[in-house]
Amino acid sequence: MKIGFIGGGNMGTAMLSGILRQGICKKEEVIVSDLSLERLSYIKEKMGVETTSDNKEAASSAEIVILSIKPQFYEEVLDEVRECFTPEKIVVGIAPGKTVSWLEEKCVVPVKIFRLMPNTPAQVGEGMTAVCPNSRASEEDIKRICEITDSFGKTEVVPERLMDAVGAVSGSSPAYVFMFIEAMADAAVAQGMARKQAYAFAAQAVLGSAKMVLETGMHPGELKDMVCSPAGTTIEGVRTLEKMSFRSAVYEALNACAEKGKTL
């Protein structure tokens, strides 16, 4: 199975790292194209895969073509490489707003299409990826793509109507979590803790809390109640967050993100 990445940016290389780490394919079975010779040199040195500045070379030699480029470049790149597509190819889009039907239209050739929504924790093997295939993709194709996405985190196959929700709750939300960690660390620093130590405490608290949700299967509200002792410090903090409309702010931020995704 040869995989071609058109675009060697952060998300593409995060995916590639997982693929190689888990042995989904060998280094010689991967090709990456990019306009930046500096970026290609970095990828070749760090990952040992084949690189090229020719998008057509990447598209023609790969069974699975992953479009790891910014949304504004999708149409231009697909115009360039569509002649390399055959009905056996799998074309994977990872950009918000680029729907399955849009990709089918721009590819022209009736290829197998997958729309993915990964997120940046893929860089550390803890990504969350939504997968949406078109009607030409077989169960075996879906299994192959999920094997790839599982190599850098977890995967859920979802209907396309949920992709904007996925973009909000998973794709963009790491930015909000980073802001939350930063804010908690700032408060710890204000209380006299060293900055590096504050980040360690805040980040590990978020990591551990997320793991409790995933591994216990308990409702987040139940887990919150377990921490809130009567007349204690935690419930006082919860009261303050509620007073400052914490939940509402998160809700509105994710809704705004989802609505923006529909316009891209």
Side-chain angles (χ1 to χ4, degrees):
M1 174 173 65
K2 186 152 188 178
I3 301 176
F5 284 85
I6 296 181
N10 291 335
M11 184 54 70
T13 53
M15 296 171 69
L16 177 54
S17 294
I19 290 167
L20 295 177
R21 185 170 55 246
Q22 296 299 323
I24 303 300
C25 60
K26 300 175 183 176
K27 292 180 180 180
E28 55 267 28
E29 295 174 321
V30 176
I31 182 169
V32 179
S33 67
D34 200 278
L35 293 178
S36 169
L37 295 180
E38 182 180 355
R39 186 65 180 172
L40 290 177
S41 177
Y42 167 80
I43 291 169
K44 190 171 187 65
E45 181 180 347
K46 185 175 177 62
M47 300 185 177
V49 299
E50 184 181 354
T51 60
T52 178
S53 57
D54 184 353
N55 290 334
K56 289 184 180 180
E57 183 181 357
S60 62
S61 62
E63 298 171 56
I64 300 174
V65 181
I66 300 175
L67 304 171
S68 52
I69 49 177
K70 295 186 184 300
Q72 59 266 36
F73 300 128
Y74 261 56
E75 187 162 8
E76 177 186 345
V77 168
L78 285 172
D79 284 346
E80 177 189 358
V81 303
R82 71 161 65 98
E83 65 186 54
C84 305
F85 293 160
T86 62
E88 291 75 33
K89 294 267 189 187
I90 296 176
V91 178
V92 178
I94 65 171
K98 300 307 180 188
T99 64
V100 167
S101 60
W102 186 92
L103 290 166
E104 288 175 332
E105 179 186 343
K106 298 304 176 183
C107 286
V108 180
V109 177
V111 294
K112 303 169 183 181
I113 300 277
F114 280 82
R115 183 182 174 190
L116 306 187
M117 183 67 70
N119 63 4
T120 55
Q123 294 182 28
V124 293
E126 291 293 349
M128 185 68 215
T129 305
V131 172
C132 177
N134 74 346
S135 59
R136 293 186 60 82
S138 67
E139 287 300 319
E140 184 61 29
D141 295 325
I142 295 171
K143 183 179 177 181
R144 291 171 76 190
I145 295 300
C146 288
E147 184 182 22
I148 289 172
T149 55
D150 282 345
S151 73
F152 47 82
K154 292 181 170 59
T155 305
E156 290 283 345
V157 178
V158 301
E160 191 165 33
R161 61 183 175 79
L162 293 180
M163 275 302 203
D164 292 316
V166 169
V169 76
S170 175
S172 297
S173 63
Y176 317 141
V177 175
F178 297 144
M179 291 172 68
F180 181 50
I181 291 171
E182 185 181 30
M184 288 197 296
D186 283 347
V189 170
Q191 292 291 325
M193 186 177 285
R195 171 68 62 180
K196 185 176 180 180
Q197 193 174 50
Y199 284 140
F201 273 101
Q204 183 61 36
V206 170
L207 176 63
S209 301
K211 196 168 183 179
M212 286 183 74
V213 172
L214 293 172
E215 293 190 3
T216 67
M218 295 173 65
H219 190 284
E222 288 184 85
L223 293 170
K224 177 216 49 166
D225 289 348
M226 287 168 56
V227 191
C228 295
S229 303
T233 56
T234 306
I235 193 63
E236 188 63 22
V238 169
R239 184 193 68 81
T240 302
L241 287 173
E242 295 288 14
K243 182 180 178 182
M244 303 298 290
S245 301
F246 176 71
R247 293 180 199 235
S248 180
V250 173
Y251 183 95
E252 294 300 332
L254 267 67
N255 267 357
C257 178
E259 292 304 314
K260 178 66 175 180
K262 296 173 183 176
T263 69
L264 295 177

